[in-house]
Amino acid sequence: LHDYWMYRNDNAFIKNKLVGARGILDFFSKYQQADGSVKNTPYWAFVDWAGNMGSGPSGSDGSAAIYDLQLLLAYQWSAEMEAQIGLKDLAVIYNQKAEQLKATIQRKYWDEGKKLYADTKEKNGYSQHANSLAILAGLVSDANMQAVAHNTLTDKSLTQCTVYFKYYLNQAMVKAGLGNDYLSWLGIWRENIAIGMTTWAEDSSLETVRSECHAWGSSPNIEFFRTVLGIDTDAPGFTKIKIEPHLGTMTNVNGVMPHPAGKVAVKYALKGSKWNINISLPQSTTGVFVWKSKIYPLKSGVNSLVI
């Protein structure tokens, strides 16, 4: 719902669905303990087809980092929507609940020695899943970001994300500043192609997977535009546009992304020691271009830069 709010100018639809979002948060709030941590939620607590994530990790207190982090993100997203198009008093409550959860997660699961978030309070298991969401939820400090991202990406003792949860893993690594490596993270998708598949499988066990056309394995379909070309929303309704490319070793790249008001077109070409950059934004939109930490304002229509 939050994604739709950020990418489509359709507040009437979102406002109509906020009632349902409130009901979902109310359901999970009933399983929150005094410190905000979620305990013993009913039904199938599936996270991913990996390690103990299929049935869900659980500590001796009935809680686990992954569920606390999911609820934290839900409170954060709902607070943003309620503050702008819903009930402002609810936004205050959701923000308070989010702050409580952030403190609890940091206290219960952070392992200073490993520079990682553990799956449970016992700190006897770690996963890419929990640490990816910790980065995305804003828990990781600038001082620890490089270490957490490096450990999450390279420590093979962690429970590894399968193809669908790599959507969050890769987003977290981009947020941590590693986006120029994105094309090197696509091994499982290259394996799909190598065995003759033309759509993406449900999970990473390609020899036994039964669903060979599964939407949740298709994250490169957006990340080629959002991460590589760098085109992303910077305000609800995509009314502001942020362009921050992660080209890796590529030196001549272009593409077009649909937008509610038209199209966003970008072209990057390295000529000698200078980048020739052309960006076209739809009418009635503005944006920024981010290149090596420097921000350049963008206007509607054609923008040309030589950097």
Side-chain angles (χ1 to χ4, degrees), residues 90-110:
L90 263 185
V92 172
I93 292 170
Y94 289 159
N95 277 322
Q96 290 171 344
K97 287 178 176 289
E99 288 304 310
Q100 181 194 36
L101 264 175
K102 286 176 73 172
T104 294
I105 292 166
Q106 193 68 25
R107 174 181 55 80
K108 285 181 67 172
Y109 307 116
W110 174 247

Side-chain angles (χ1 to χ4, degrees), residues 176-299:
L178 303 178
N180 278 315
D181 295 330
Y182 176 76
L183 293 177
S184 70
W185 302 335
L186 302 181
I188 185 60
W189 289 277
R190 292 190 173 98
E191 290 176 32
N192 275 241
I193 294 169
I195 64 172
M197 295 177 65
T198 56
T199 54
W200 308 123
E202 178 180 5
D203 64 57
S204 298
S205 304
L206 298 184
E207 299 303 319
T208 57
V209 66
R210 296 184 64 186
S211 176
E212 297 182 358
C213 182
H214 220 80
W216 76 1
S218 63
S219 61
N221 293 13
I222 185 173
E223 299 307 346
F224 287 144
F225 297 92
R226 182 166 64 183
T227 295
V228 179
L229 294 180
I231 305 167
D232 203 3
T233 177
D234 203 28
F238 220 158
T239 54
K240 294 181 181 179
I241 300 165
K242 180 181 180 181
I243 299 180
E244 185 175 6
H246 301 89
L247 304 179
T249 60
M250 295 186 292
T251 58
N252 193 341
V253 189
N254 65 83
V256 179
M257 182 176 182
H259 183 279
K263 297 177 181 178
V264 180
V266 297
K267 184 175 183 180
Y268 312 110
L270 181 62
K271 297 184 178 180
S273 61
K274 297 287 187 179
W275 281 92
N276 286 27
I277 298 166
N278 291 284
I279 299 169
S280 178
L281 301 188
Q283 293 302 311
S284 303
T285 63
T286 59
V288 293
F289 176 69
V290 182
W291 185 265
K292 296 182 179 179
S293 300
K294 188 173 181 180
I295 299 174
Y296 302 82
L298 300 173
K299 66 182 189 305

Side-chain angles (χ1 to χ4, degrees), residues 14-257:
I14 298 296
K15 290 181 74 171
N16 182 259
K17 298 297 181 288
L18 285 179
V19 175
R22 293 165 193 158
I24 292 169
L25 289 175
D26 181 65
F27 172 85
F28 284 100
S29 72
K30 292 178 171 60
Y31 297 93
Q32 287 187 267
Q33 305 307 294
D35 63 358
S37 193
V38 179
K39 178 181 179 181
N40 295 335
T41 54
Y43 311 115
W44 187 21
F46 177 86
V47 178
D48 190 7
W49 302 112
N52 63 353
M53 293 292 173
S55 57
S58 181
S60 60
D61 61 351
S63 299
I66 193 68
Y67 306 122
D68 289 346
L69 285 159
Q70 287 175 335
L71 185 57
L72 169 59
L73 284 164
Y75 278 136
Q76 290 173 335
W77 291 328
S78 288
E80 290 180 24
M81 292 186 289
E82 294 286 1
Q84 294 202 35
I85 60 172
L87 300 176
K88 295 187 185 303
D89 288 346
L90 263 185
V92 172
I93 292 170
Y94 289 159
N95 277 322
Q96 290 171 344
K97 287 178 176 289
E99 288 304 310
Q100 181 194 36
L101 264 175
K102 286 176 73 172
T104 294
I105 292 166
Q106 193 68 25
R107 174 181 55 80
K108 285 181 67 172
Y109 307 116
W110 174 247
D111 187 324
E112 179 64 25
K114 289 183 175 291
K115 295 292 184 183
L116 287 168
Y117 290 86
D119 287 336
T120 63
K121 72 170 189 173
E122 285 77 19
K123 299 180 182 175
N124 54 10
Y126 300 80
S127 65
Q128 288 185 322
H129 307 72
N131 286 279
S132 297
L133 296 194
I135 291 173
L136 294 176
L139 277 166
V140 182
S141 66
D142 290 343
N144 287 324
M145 184 68 80
Q146 186 175 358
V148 173
H150 174 79
N151 294 338
T152 300
L153 199 58
T154 63
D155 188 343
K156 300 306 179 185
S157 70
L158 274 60
T159 301
Q160 303 289 294
C161 297
T162 69
V163 63
Y164 111 84
F165 212 97
K166 286 181 183 289
Y167 173 78
Y168 303 100
L169 171 65
N170 292 345
Q171 276 192 309
M173 295 303 103
V174 172
K175 183 175 180 179
L178 303 178
N180 278 315
D181 295 330
Y182 176 76
L183 293 177
S184 70
W185 302 335
L186 302 181
I188 185 60
W189 289 277
R190 292 190 173 98
E191 290 176 32
N192 275 241
I193 294 169
I195 64 172
M197 295 177 65
T198 56
T199 54
W200 308 123
E202 178 180 5
D203 64 57
S204 298
S205 304
L206 298 184
E207 299 303 319
T208 57
V209 66
R210 296 184 64 186
S211 176
E212 297 182 358
C213 182
H214 220 80
W216 76 1
S218 63
S219 61
N221 293 13
I222 185 173
E223 299 307 346
F224 287 144
F225 297 92
R226 182 166 64 183
T227 295
V228 179
L229 294 180
I231 305 167
D232 203 3
T233 177
D234 203 28
F238 220 158
T239 54
K240 294 181 181 179
I241 300 165
K242 180 181 180 181
I243 299 180
E244 185 175 6
H246 301 89
L247 304 179
T249 60
M250 295 186 292
T251 58
N252 193 341
V253 189
N254 65 83
V256 179
M257 182 176 182

